[in-house]
Amino acid sequence: MYGKAFAPEYQGALTTLSVNSSLTDVLAVGTEQLRAAEQAGKSAEAARSGLAVAEAHRRLGRVGEADRAWKASYRAARKAGDLGAMAWALWSGGTLARQRGALALARRLLGLAAELGERGGDIVVRGYSLAGLAETGRIQGDYEAVGRLHEQLLAEARRRGEARHTVWALEGIAQMHRNTGAYDTAFALFEEAAEVAARADDRRGHAWALRGLADIVSVRDGDVERALALLSEAEAGCRAMNLSGALAYNHKMRGNVLYRAGRYTEARDLYEEALAEFRAMSEPRGEALARLGLAKSRAQLGRDRRETAAELADLYEVLGRIGLRHAQEMVARAQAEFGVAAEAVR
């Protein structure tokens, strides 16, 4: 049985904030509490308030501000000798590093966070940090290595009745099944995630689950209108909380649905919108995936073959530098689809 979802990254004076609080509200309250703690010389409270500030900036796509905030939170936590707060700051930094495409740094920071969380007796930050490591491996396409960790974290979350973490694990496992073609299994897991998130009032988790369901409905069933309706429902939740990253991925998925339906002009426009959103928040993985969709749409609309070849070759290199093997395979399939693999290597 799951209780209502909560946000453990909102700590200290910010524990009254909801998991569904608007990020602009979180930022405003967190900044106010941070200043008060700094003026009072309360390092531990400054670290906790600073964590919420860092996370709000990160989720709003403000990379520079987020980077400064998590580091300041870590320094305050270290000054207070608070291992748990230090671990949370490192978790935030590692999550930001993954968002920026710095995957090696993400693994290092998240590993340190898990270690500090265990030493400090904070099982929640340990779990979140291990989840971050699992997600980093998953987006790289290393499913065999992180699949067991996802299952382990799902079992732990179920045992403790943590709805938000259960939803995260279900969605991660579902995505791996979807990417390996097990659509029915993926759909069932996304559906369970959506149900758990809805019961626990976890709007962020619910929006991501709806996005996953829309993807399966589109690729497996070819049901364009149902997929678009699911994405519209998810988008409403994203907008209510100002979830910039989730909204950009929603738009990119809408482009995918329209592309599969042969509606290439509409798909192109959605990919262009998503690309601008990802660039605004310095999200290289999302940017590369939007570029891929845009390149394919333009090719279908008659773009010069050599330009398509050059675009896909560049994308393959970009994704290789980031370390996203699964996405590289997607580019290779696009090269084969448009018959430009030979041009790409010349």
Side-chain angles (χ1 to χ4, degrees):
M1 194 69 184
Y2 300 102
K4 189 173 182 179
F6 68 100
E9 66 270 33
Y10 301 155
Q11 303 173 5
L14 303 177
T15 53
T16 56
L17 290 174
S18 162
V19 67
N20 298 319
S21 294
S22 163
L23 293 177
T24 51
D25 292 343
V26 173
L27 184 58
V29 175
T31 299
E32 180 183 354
Q33 292 296 332
L34 174 59
R35 288 172 180 163
E38 289 175 338
Q39 290 171 0
K42 297 179 179 179
S43 297
E45 181 58 34
R48 304 285 178 176
S49 299
L51 172 66
V53 170
E55 281 302 286
H57 278 307
R58 181 183 68 79
R59 290 165 178 162
L60 287 166
R62 301 170 183 173
V63 172
E65 293 93 332
D67 191 53
R68 288 188 289 274
W70 83 259
K71 289 174 180 175
S73 175
Y74 179 81
R75 288 193 297 270
R78 186 174 60 186
K79 182 177 180 180
D82 188 332
L83 292 181
M86 289 167 66
W88 276 110
L90 289 169
W91 166 78
S92 180
T95 306
L96 176 65
R98 183 178 64 243
Q99 181 174 313
R100 298 172 70 176
L103 301 186
L105 177 61
R107 288 192 296 272
R108 185 165 68 85
L109 292 175
L110 290 166
L112 289 170
E115 180 185 335
L116 277 178
E118 187 164 0
R119 284 170 50 194
D122 189 328
I123 61 171
V124 178
V125 72
R126 173 189 169 275
Y128 269 58
S129 301
L130 290 175
L133 286 169
E135 187 164 346
T136 302
R138 178 175 58 78
I139 67 172
Q140 287 185 279
D142 197 0
Y143 300 156
E144 185 176 350
V146 301
R148 289 186 297 275
L149 182 53
H150 272 79
E151 295 284 359
Q152 173 194 328
L153 293 168
L154 173 60
E156 291 180 7
R158 287 192 193 280
R159 188 166 57 249
R160 293 198 297 266
E162 291 180 4
R164 191 180 179 204
H165 227 191
T166 297
V167 169
W168 166 85
L170 285 168
E171 291 171 350
I173 296 166
Q175 192 62 50
M176 287 186 279
H177 282 296
R178 181 262 179 264
N179 289 347
T180 53
Y183 298 136
D184 291 345
T185 301
F187 186 88
L189 290 167
F190 277 128
E191 195 169 44
E192 182 182 354
E195 291 171 358
V196 173
R199 288 199 303 269
D201 194 24
D202 175 8
R203 294 179 193 168
R204 179 185 293 111
H206 191 246
W208 281 107
L210 292 177
R211 176 184 172 275
L213 287 171
D215 185 27
I216 303 297
V217 165
S218 166
V219 73
R220 183 191 66 180
D221 305 333
D223 192 336
V224 179
E225 296 312 313
R226 185 184 175 199
L228 293 177
L230 287 165
L231 289 169
S232 293
E233 183 182 351
E235 180 167 347
C238 293
R239 290 193 182 279
M241 295 177 62
N242 295 314
L243 297 174
S244 303
L247 186 60
Y249 275 104
N250 183 294
H251 291 157
K252 198 272 296 179
M253 181 56 70
R254 188 177 289 269
N256 289 358
V257 171
L258 292 168
Y259 181 89
R260 292 169 190 147
R263 294 160 60 174
Y264 302 124
T265 300
E266 294 172 84
R268 178 198 62 196
D269 294 345
L270 263 296
Y271 287 131
E272 286 177 344
E273 181 179 357
L275 179 58
E277 290 169 328
F278 285 127
R279 283 178 171 164
M281 66 182 72
S282 300
E283 221 283 28
R285 174 172 171 259
E287 179 180 340
L289 293 173
R291 279 182 62 196
L292 174 58
L294 185 55
K296 291 169 63 177
S297 298
R298 286 173 171 168
Q300 294 285 6
L301 292 169
R303 187 186 191 188
D304 182 83
R305 178 188 178 92
R306 288 169 297 181
E307 292 179 3
T308 297
E311 177 83 6
L312 292 176
D314 181 63
L315 269 173
Y316 192 88
E317 291 181 8
V318 167
L319 291 165
R321 287 196 298 272
I322 299 174
L324 300 175
R325 293 186 293 277
H326 175 70
Q328 273 191 309
E329 293 171 5
M330 293 167 62
V331 174
R333 288 197 295 272
Q335 289 174 323
E337 177 184 351
F338 295 105
V340 297
E343 290 95 328
V345 298
R346 279 206 294 265

